[in-house]
Amino acid sequence: MLKDLKFLSKMYEIPSIDIILMDLNISGVSSDIDADRVRFNLRLLNGELLLCSAIKKRF
Amino acid sequence: MENYYCALQLRRDSDYRISEDKLYFKNEHIGWVNNFEIDFCDSYYMRRNNTVLNINPKTRLNCEGCKFCYTSHQKSRSIIDLTIPKNLDNFFYDWMNLYGKNDLSGLYQIAVVSGCFPNENSLVKFLLDLNDKVEKMNFHGEIFYLGSQIQTEESLKKLSEIPYFAYSLSIECFENRDKLLRKSKSGFTLEQIKRIMQLSILYGHRTNFTYIVGLDGIKALEEGLKNFEKYINSFPIFNILQEHEYQKGLRNYTANNIQYYLQARKTIEKIFAHSSLKPTMWEVCRTLWYTSYNGEKL
Ligand code: SF4
């Protein structure tokens, strides 16, 4: 749960936001659009805690 | 909170999903999305608040051979051969019109990102012609070339005519170069690249290289970077490998988890800890660094 992202963030001393953005680049994204690639501007939810609790069981 | 520019591969199996203006992780809403569009490979695009102009003078849509490359799969809205002088003139006039500018004095950099010139001479000629043209349009910034087609001292010398020239060598990986890169790129060996980078610095050019994180094992990454860090005068461009649907299995077998990338980031920070070089945020959208570098805020 929450602790996985927090744990990695602590262990590697890398902010959770950076970890999520890296993971997004590794995983890519799904969408209904018919293409191989998409681009966009992203504003992540405000607050590390909120993000950590949303990204459960990821790593 | 900051806005991050993302250019991503579409993967049906991803845990991240975009629906309307929201980004979800599984079913959890984690962010807001705007300016969502297909990632076209056009003849130009802007960066750094419209002060950096990236041009694709020779369309890369027909370039193939590097296993990690996706440009030949991309769609384009505009294919213009900018190596034809008249097209290049028209391109700049159209650009100034579109952006409401009288000249190019507001541009910080013009970036030429292409490995698709027929040969080294035609590339050098294009860069020199480009410089002549934009100087007359009041451009005082840097001309940046990303690729690996400048391979001789003679070319580097000729390019010294450009007041501010930068060369980013597309090294991309240290292992399995024969398998992963197109022939014209892998034929330019790491030892030859080193020599050219050394000379590039001697001729006064800003010099670095591009590297794709996810192709090599961590040990090869570490050894390769230690070997090359003496031959640069600006921070390398590190891109995370984006594996598209049609490229499944391309990643190094050790790079299929987030820990590999976290480890890569720490390793790189350690190698460059003694230097003042740092990543430039606007230059790379699939970077390893977003809010901090080596414990310092970016
Ligand atoms: S040289 Fe390689 S990376 Fe560059 S456009 Fe061609 S295939 Fe893609």
Side-chain angles (χ1 to χ4, degrees):
Chain A
M1 307 265 286
L2 175 82
K3 80 171 188 288
D4 292 290
L5 182 57
K6 280 211 124 178
F7 172 77
L8 285 175
S9 174
K10 225 175 171 176
M11 180 170 161
Y12 288 92
E13 297 172 302
I14 294 176
S16 310
I17 290 174
D18 288 38
I19 299 180
I20 292 169
L21 289 165
M22 284 158 82
D23 192 46
L24 190 57
N25 274 284
I26 299 160
S27 311
V29 72
S30 75
S31 147
D32 294 336
I33 205 164
D34 178 27
D36 286 321
R37 296 183 56 79
V38 290
R39 56 192 180 206
F40 54 91
N41 287 310
L42 173 66
R43 192 161 45 84
L44 287 168
L45 286 190
N46 217 345
E48 185 132 330
L49 209 71
L50 240 165
L51 278 172
C52 286
S53 61
I55 309 264
K56 288 171 196 156
K57 295 179 186 151
R58 171 60 181 160
F59 305 117
Chain B
M1 205 173 217
E2 281 245 20
N3 257 303
Y4 298 97
Y5 175 73
C6 300
L8 299 176
Q9 68 280 29
L10 278 180
R11 286 284 297 243
R12 280 188 294 270
D13 55 359
S14 175
D15 285 330
Y16 297 93
R17 181 171 54 85
I18 290 176
S19 184
E20 294 177 353
D21 59 349
K22 291 187 180 128
L23 175 70
Y24 294 90
F25 175 79
K26 295 191 173 157
N27 288 322
E28 300 285 341
H29 173 211
I30 61 162
W32 296 97
V33 167
N34 60 59
N35 300 330
F36 180 74
E37 60 178 0
I38 292 178
D39 189 13
F40 289 106
C41 179
D42 291 335
S43 51
Y44 84 95
Y45 56 94
M46 302 305 299
R47 279 193 169 160
R48 200 181 172 266
N49 284 329
N50 294 338
T51 60
V52 168
L53 170 63
N54 276 61
I55 56 173
N56 297 320
K58 279 269 186 216
T59 179
R60 285 176 289 163
L61 295 174
N62 303 323
C63 194
E64 280 178 279
C66 301
K67 297 279 189 310
F68 46 82
C69 181
Y70 48 80
T71 48
S72 61
H73 287 256
Q74 273 181 293
K75 296 184 175 87
S76 177
R77 292 172 297 194
S78 60
I79 302 177
I80 315 166
D81 186 342
L82 297 177
T83 60
I84 298 170
K86 198 168 169 279
N87 286 356
L88 192 60
D89 279 330
N90 290 341
F91 168 79
F92 281 116
Y93 291 126
D94 288 349
W95 184 87
M96 285 189 271
N97 260 336
L98 190 69
Y99 284 80
K101 309 278 182 201
N102 298 320
D103 60 21
L104 303 180
S105 58
L107 287 181
Y108 168 82
Q109 183 190 78
I110 297 175
V112 177
V113 183
S114 180
C116 308
F117 283 84
N119 53 50
E120 181 169 359
N121 285 345
S122 63
L123 164 64
V124 173
K125 184 181 175 314
F126 173 77
L127 292 169
L128 294 173
D129 290 349
L130 173 71
N131 179 55
D132 283 348
K133 212 165 283 273
V134 296
E135 262 190 343
K136 289 182 191 119
M137 295 177 186
N138 222 2
F139 174 71
H140 307 294
E142 177 183 79
I143 293 186
F144 171 85
Y145 166 68
L146 191 160
S148 55
Q149 288 190 285
I150 301 169
Q151 303 188 349
T152 60
E153 179 168 5
E154 195 192 339
S155 296
L156 291 169
K157 198 172 174 182
K158 281 187 192 159
L159 291 165
S160 304
E161 273 178 37
I162 301 176
Y164 302 101
F165 178 70
Y167 186 13
S168 190
L169 257 296
S170 49
I171 290 183
E172 321 290 28
C173 57
F174 298 114
E175 288 182 314
N176 299 316
R177 292 175 54 80
D178 287 350
K179 284 192 200 129
L180 294 168
L181 304 174
R182 70 190 246 127
K183 264 216 172 78
S184 60
K185 254 166 128 171
S186 63
F188 193 26
T189 66
L190 291 173
E191 283 312 306
Q192 290 169 325
I193 291 176
K194 239 188 238 174
R195 190 181 128 68
I196 280 298
M197 288 173 73
Q198 213 168 9
L199 287 169
S200 176
I201 292 174
L202 277 176
Y203 280 100
H205 308 313
R206 185 168 75 81
T207 306
N208 66 10
F209 60 87
T210 60
Y211 181 80
I212 300 178
V213 183
L215 292 172
D216 290 330
I218 288 286
K219 201 161 177 274
L221 171 149
E222 184 171 6
E223 280 170 9
L225 294 180
K226 278 184 178 161
N227 204 356
F228 272 83
E229 57 116 7
K230 310 176 227 9
Y231 304 101
I232 56 172
N233 57 15
S234 93
F235 197 77
I237 296 176
F238 292 102
N239 283 302
I240 290 176
L241 172 66
Q242 293 182 330
E243 204 185 48
H244 295 70
E245 294 272 7
Y246 51 85
Q247 293 169 321
K248 279 184 188 167
L250 176 64
R251 270 189 208 124
N252 185 286
Y253 72 99
T254 58
N256 281 317
N257 56 60
I258 187 78
Q259 285 89 337
Y260 168 94
Y261 300 85
L262 302 177
Q263 185 59 48
R265 171 166 150 158
K266 296 306 276 185
T267 304
I268 296 166
E269 287 177 352
K270 210 168 147 199
I271 293 171
F272 289 94
H274 66 89
S275 102
S276 57
L277 307 180
K278 275 184 195 167
T280 312
M281 293 290 289
W282 56 263
E283 209 169 28
V284 200
C285 59
R286 44 193 173 118
T287 179
L288 294 170
W289 298 274
Y290 297 88
T291 64
S292 78
Y293 171 76
N294 214 2
E296 273 177 41
K297 270 200 163 169
L298 279 173

